[in-house]
Amino acid sequence: MRDRLERLLGTGVGDVRDLGSSHSWTLHRASLDDGREVFVKAASGQAGVFAAEAAGLRWLVEAGPGTPVPEVVAADDHLLVLPWLPSSAPSRDAAERLGRELAALHTGDRPDAYGAPWDGYIADLPLDNTLDDRGWPRWYAERRLEPFLRLGARHLSSGDIRLVERVMADVEALAGPPEPPSRIHGDLWSGNVQWTDGRALLIDPAAHGGHRETDLAMMALFGAPHLDTVLAAYDEAAPLADGWRARVPLHQLHPLLVHVALFGGSYRAPLVEAARASIG
């Protein structure tokens, strides 16, 4: 680890502390001889995962000044290095700032199409980022719902599958007013929000051009500190289309299908509930 880091960073590496593991990679904190502290992900396989994460972080920054993501210190096929972000307690002021900055990210320099110009991953599952300018509903059904419905089908009943297929068939009527693509984080559950030094930064993205309501729905899926404050600040800065709250379950279907594919039938009930709520 130390030798690989030194070759990648071009500086000496002192202490390297293990922080556990996540999916198919290990996590570390390293002290560099130049005084910096960094966070390191390391993996022996899945070479594209770190390239996709690094590309996504750099691409999100292109939305404009103040984008709430950390810089990429360095990356290769087996290592991803980010600044070490000391944890702080979530606060309402930081949540309000996050809402404004997330609105700026979504409405800043917008991509021309849904998807992204790199192969994506969510956790360590491949994510189809095929670029498409036909509109979000069909792209979402074809690139986000259908592939993960196939992956998770063994944990679902035939009735469950038909229910999700009904949502996919009706997605254009369920999706609400048309929205242009936004640069979105793509996996914005609370564990991917790092509260640090009076603000919140977004980590571990599955970034792509998507629908801005998707990030907000993901934040609501498993709960997030001061979520009402985040949403109020967001809506004030970049008002959401009428009916957005009713569409939250539609946007939650993709992450729930991912969880079914990764973790099995324990996520079947919330998936079915979200699919039913999507139809109304």
Side-chain angles (χ1 to χ4, degrees):
M1 167 69 72
R2 183 174 288 103
D3 290 344
R4 288 164 60 192
L5 271 175
E6 289 180 345
R7 287 195 299 271
L8 181 61
L9 298 174
T11 187
V13 176
D15 186 38
V16 178
R17 281 155 282 179
D18 294 337
L19 302 176
S21 62
S22 178
H23 302 291
S24 59
W25 46 84
T26 57
L27 311 175
H28 312 269
R29 179 178 181 176
S31 302
L32 308 184
D33 289 353
D34 61 14
R36 289 179 293 168
E37 295 276 317
V38 294
F39 173 74
V40 183
K41 288 184 177 182
S44 57
Q46 291 283 57
V49 172
F50 294 161
E53 184 172 341
L57 288 168
R58 290 165 174 152
W59 182 77
L60 290 173
V61 168
E62 295 174 9
T67 304
V69 298
E71 68 170 314
V72 176
V73 176
D76 64 13
D77 286 345
H78 302 297
L79 295 173
L80 176 68
V81 185
L82 305 175
W84 179 258
L85 302 174
S87 296
S88 62
S91 68
R92 290 194 177 277
D93 286 347
E96 183 176 340
R97 178 175 177 178
L98 174 59
R100 294 194 305 269
E101 291 181 337
L102 190 58
L105 167 63
H106 289 165
T107 58
D109 183 37
R110 293 180 182 264
D112 296 325
Y114 300 95
W118 61 82
D119 295 331
Y121 288 87
I122 187 162
D124 49 9
L125 296 177
L127 194 62
D128 186 350
N129 276 344
T130 301
L131 290 165
D132 195 327
D133 61 1
R134 293 177 299 164
W136 180 79
R138 293 313 319 165
W139 183 88
Y140 181 63
E142 294 171 7
R143 308 296 179 185
R144 291 296 181 263
L145 299 185
E146 195 275 336
F148 290 93
L149 180 60
R150 281 190 281 108
L151 281 176
R154 67 188 183 279
H155 303 295
L156 303 172
S157 71
S158 58
D160 300 338
I161 293 170
R162 286 194 299 271
L163 180 62
V164 177
E165 289 175 338
R166 180 181 169 192
V167 175
M168 292 164 54
D170 295 341
V171 68
E172 292 182 357
L174 301 173
E179 284 261 356
S182 292
R183 296 175 194 254
I184 70 169
H185 178 281
D187 190 16
L188 196 52
W189 70 291
S190 60
N192 287 342
V193 179
Q194 177 69 27
W195 302 87
T196 180
D197 291 337
R199 69 180 304 199
L201 295 178
L202 312 182
I203 58 174
D204 295 349
H208 62 277
H211 196 303
R212 63 194 183 111
E213 292 176 11
T214 295
D215 274 349
L216 304 181
M218 186 63 180
M219 290 186 75
L221 182 57
F222 302 118
H226 305 297
L227 181 58
D228 288 345
T229 299
V230 174
L231 295 176
Y234 183 105
D235 195 39
E236 181 179 355
L240 292 154
D242 290 345
W244 70 270
R245 290 185 184 275
R247 293 187 292 274
V248 166
L250 175 65
H251 291 269
Q252 291 177 341
L253 279 181
H254 171 239
L256 285 168
L257 283 168
V258 170
H259 278 71
V260 169
L262 285 171
F263 306 116
S266 60
Y267 285 92
R268 174 192 168 272
L271 170 69
V272 170
E273 182 181 354
R276 287 175 176 158
S278 299
I279 296 169

